[in-house]
Amino acid sequence: MPGTLVTLDLVGIFVFAMSGALVGVRKDVDVFGVMVLAGTTGLGGGFLRDVLIGATPPAALADWRYLLVPAAAGLLTFVYHPVVGRLERMVNVFDAFGLSLFCVTGATKALEYGLGPVPAALMGMLTGIGGGMLRDLLAGRVPVIFRGELYATPALAGAAIAVVGTRQDLPVLAVAFAGASVCLVWRLLAMWRGWQAPMPTGPASV
Amino acid sequence: MPGTLVTLDLVGIFVFAMSGALVGVRKDVDVFGVMVLAGTTGLGGGFLRDVLIGATPPAALADWRYLLVPAAAGLLTFVYHPVVGRLERMVNVFDAFGLSLFCVTGATKALEYGLGPVPAALMGMLTGIGGGMLRDLLAGRVPVIFRGELYATPALAGAAIAVVGTRQDLPVLAVAFAGASVCLVWRLLAMWRGWQAPMPTGPASV
Amino acid sequence: MPGTLVTLDLVGIFVFAMSGALVGVRKDVDVFGVMVLAGTTGLGGGFLRDVLIGATPPAALADWRYLLVPAAAGLLTFVYHPVVGRLERMVNVFDAFGLSLFCVTGATKALEYGLGPVPAALMGMLTGIGGGMLRDLLAGRVPVIFRGELYATPALAGAAIAVVGTRQDLPVLAVAFAGASVCLVWRLLAMWRGWQAPMPTGPASV
């Protein structure tokens, strides 16, 4: 992976880990639980993808930076949570950056491991949303993607663009930029405009 | 896998996915969450089995039909949920068909990957009950197998029969039919007669 | 693995499985759900580790004793739960033994599979705490490690000692004994003195 992508990847993990740690602090979890939530949120999506595509042990377990970053994010959030909490809107923006990047890198990696285009796009989406899902499961919350926010659809779109571009042999960074941009803009617009995914209509099912 | 088994497998996935989607609709989850619940419920048991026996990437990620079927089931249920909801009793019957089939195909696959008879039977059971467990975890419900319904025991019985028959080199379809029939009849009788698994007795443990 | 370690491993699984079964009995789960909770709690940590490091199928699926022990623990707890419940304090002590052993064996196995020292220590910790986390997820409880008890930190310490000792080529049993002792003493002291991990301080984050 080019150095630029690694840096962006680590930034995404850092922000995801902060969002996990913040959930932990608000649930009055001790410092260790905060670290576990930070690590799970930052690395969980990639772990799920790597286990499913058979890329074990996951890359994050072979590179100390991938372990140091969520640990630092967890510890910083634990200590400075009043500041982080006030900046949550900004954390959410960074979270959108992380989502955009993960869906692209996840889809690219799945292609490298021989998956077809549709499963690769799904693995990209899973890389983006998996950490947040695990975080919410562990913290006993309804997973974010089930709360009517447009979160997974932008990730799937970004992953699909990355898949199509990669199979056309377009330059790696251009493809990554295109996929991540679509996901990012869509997600940010959804946050700022309050866009929602369609909800069930008609009489309630009992 | 013979064509007949693939067709039955897809029918099972379709019905499992419908049950997952219905849970999502009732929790007022948006269309995307409904699709995720449909996919997880339809494919989750097989994913858990494949990850545990080392058969990665899971077969469903290499065959577009296995991704199309739960997507279609999720979308149909999202749109026509009042109809699906009224037919839930019928969905439960189909769910029993899916359980019966998955426990057999899961056990057979585990044997092919070199597992011994007891672990293979457990993997068959896991294939049958795993999707529903993941669905309930994601939806924040008590997993179905913990609610006193006879659900996992018939699956274990069907898987055990499939294991014994396969190791005796009996014909594949005959073994599958025998295992699935026992699971199906047991599960349907349990539903219709309200059979329950034994509950803890004696003074409550504090 | 030397015979002594296998025996200790099985004892740890037995006690973990009892704690899982006891949670099931108290939630009024039927006999089958109790068995599933027993198996998940006893074997889940090792399964998570093996799936992540690529050691599939997990060792427990290739050795009938590893399946018999949690089944026996689940059944015994189901039948004699009033007795087991009264002995819970003792179960907690044995649970500390299991934790101490699993963190050491888990770290050692991760090293054997080529992981670096830090990831190997994390895998050791995961082996120790994973079963209880899965148990609490399935039972709809807040995971034990998030409840302010010192549980994961001693496991991480024991795993770290095992990693350092193994890399210094010290004798296997001596290393295992040192790592497990530190974890055990720390955990027992935390239980008896009511030690808690640090909690978030400062104004509540909203």
Side-chain angles (χ1 to χ4, degrees):
Chain A
M1 201 152 51
T4 322
L5 278 190
V6 171
T7 308
L8 288 172
D9 211 22
L10 290 172
V11 171
I13 290 169
F14 188 85
V15 182
F16 271 32
M18 282 182 86
S19 87
L22 205 54
V23 168
V25 168
R26 286 177 179 164
K27 291 244 164 188
D28 253 331
V29 159
D30 63 54
V31 64
F32 194 86
V34 167
M35 304 287 280
V36 170
L37 277 169
T40 308
T41 313
L43 303 173
F47 277 21
L48 286 178
R49 175 204 60 212
D50 287 348
V51 162
L52 280 175
I53 67 176
T56 51
L61 291 182
D63 183 337
W64 60 270
R65 295 172 299 179
Y66 281 79
L67 298 174
L68 182 68
V69 161
L75 210 54
L76 283 173
T77 306
F78 182 78
V79 176
Y80 300 111
H81 65 91
V83 180
V84 177
R86 274 199 301 276
L87 298 177
E88 190 171 21
R89 206 180 165 78
M90 201 182 300
V91 171
N92 281 339
V93 172
F94 280 111
D95 180 278
F97 273 94
L99 182 72
S100 310
L101 193 77
F102 286 3
C103 69
V104 166
T105 53
T108 313
K109 182 162 187 186
L111 283 177
E112 276 165 23
Y113 273 77
L115 268 70
V118 175
L122 285 173
M123 288 299 104
M125 182 191 75
L126 179 66
T127 310
I129 71 176
M133 284 175 71
L134 290 177
R135 171 199 66 209
D136 293 336
L137 274 184
L138 285 177
R141 306 198 312 172
V142 179
V144 62
I145 58 159
F146 296 156
R147 279 182 248 135
E149 280 198 59
L150 270 176
Y151 195 86
T153 322
L156 185 57
I161 290 171
V163 166
V164 171
T166 303
R167 286 170 65 96
Q168 304 291 329
D169 279 325
L170 299 177
V172 172
L173 279 176
V175 167
F177 185 78
S181 302
V182 167
C183 174
L184 180 64
V185 171
W186 191 346
R187 173 75 188 127
L188 289 180
L189 281 174
M191 281 167 55
W192 286 335
R193 300 288 180 92
W195 287 350
Q196 297 235 322
M199 303 292 287
T201 54
S205 291
V206 188
Chain B
M1 203 152 51
T4 321
L5 278 190
V6 170
T7 307
L8 288 172
D9 212 22
L10 291 172
V11 170
I13 290 169
F14 188 86
V15 182
F16 271 31
M18 283 181 84
S19 87
L22 204 54
V23 168
V25 167
R26 285 176 181 165
K27 291 244 165 187
D28 252 331
V29 160
D30 64 52
V31 63
F32 194 84
V34 167
M35 303 288 279
V36 170
L37 278 170
T40 308
T41 314
L43 303 174
F47 277 21
L48 287 177
R49 176 204 58 213
D50 286 347
V51 162
L52 281 174
I53 67 176
T56 52
L61 290 181
D63 184 336
W64 59 270
R65 294 173 298 179
Y66 281 77
L67 298 174
L68 182 67
V69 161
L75 211 54
L76 283 173
T77 306
F78 182 78
V79 176
Y80 299 112
H81 65 92
V83 181
V84 177
R86 273 199 301 276
L87 298 178
E88 191 171 20
R89 207 180 164 77
M90 202 181 301
V91 171
N92 282 339
V93 172
F94 280 112
D95 181 278
F97 273 94
L99 181 74
S100 310
L101 193 77
F102 286 4
C103 69
V104 166
T105 53
T108 312
K109 183 163 185 185
L111 283 176
E112 276 165 23
Y113 274 77
L115 268 71
V118 174
L122 285 173
M123 288 298 106
M125 182 191 75
L126 179 66
T127 310
I129 71 177
M133 284 176 72
L134 290 177
R135 171 198 65 206
D136 293 336
L137 274 184
L138 286 176
R141 307 199 308 174
V142 179
V144 61
I145 57 159
F146 296 157
R147 279 182 247 135
E149 280 198 59
L150 270 177
Y151 194 86
T153 322
L156 185 57
I161 290 171
V163 166
V164 171
T166 304
R167 285 169 65 95
Q168 304 292 331
D169 280 326
L170 300 178
V172 172
L173 280 177
V175 167
F177 184 77
S181 300
V182 166
C183 174
L184 180 65
V185 170
W186 191 348
R187 173 74 187 127
L188 290 180
L189 281 173
M191 282 167 55
W192 286 335
R193 299 287 181 92
W195 286 349
Q196 298 234 323
M199 303 292 288
T201 54
S205 292
V206 189
Chain C
M1 201 152 52
T4 321
L5 278 189
V6 170
T7 307
L8 287 172
D9 211 21
L10 291 172
V11 171
I13 290 170
F14 188 85
V15 181
F16 271 32
M18 281 181 86
S19 87
L22 204 54
V23 169
V25 167
R26 284 175 181 167
K27 291 244 165 188
D28 252 332
V29 159
D30 63 54
V31 64
F32 194 85
V34 167
M35 303 287 280
V36 170
L37 278 169
T40 308
T41 313
L43 304 173
F47 277 20
L48 286 177
R49 176 203 60 212
D50 286 348
V51 163
L52 281 174
I53 67 178
T56 50
L61 291 183
D63 184 335
W64 59 271
R65 294 171 298 178
Y66 281 77
L67 298 174
L68 182 68
V69 161
L75 210 55
L76 282 174
T77 307
F78 182 78
V79 175
Y80 300 110
H81 66 91
V83 180
V84 176
R86 274 198 301 276
L87 299 177
E88 190 170 21
R89 208 178 163 79
M90 201 182 301
V91 171
N92 282 338
V93 172
F94 279 112
D95 180 277
F97 273 95
L99 182 73
S100 311
L101 192 78
F102 286 3
C103 68
V104 167
T105 54
T108 312
K109 181 161 187 186
L111 283 176
E112 277 166 22
Y113 273 78
L115 268 70
V118 175
L122 285 173
M123 289 299 105
M125 182 191 77
L126 179 66
T127 310
I129 71 176
M133 284 176 71
L134 291 177
R135 172 198 65 207
D136 292 337
L137 275 184
L138 284 177
R141 307 199 309 175
V142 179
V144 62
I145 58 160
F146 295 157
R147 279 181 249 137
E149 280 198 60
L150 270 176
Y151 194 87
T153 321
L156 185 57
I161 291 172
V163 166
V164 171
T166 303
R167 285 169 65 95
Q168 304 293 330
D169 279 326
L170 299 177
V172 172
L173 280 177
V175 167
F177 185 77
S181 301
V182 168
C183 173
L184 179 65
V185 170
W186 192 347
R187 173 73 189 130
L188 289 181
L189 280 174
M191 281 167 55
W192 287 334
R193 298 286 181 94
W195 286 350
Q196 298 235 323
M199 304 291 289
T201 54
S205 293
V206 188

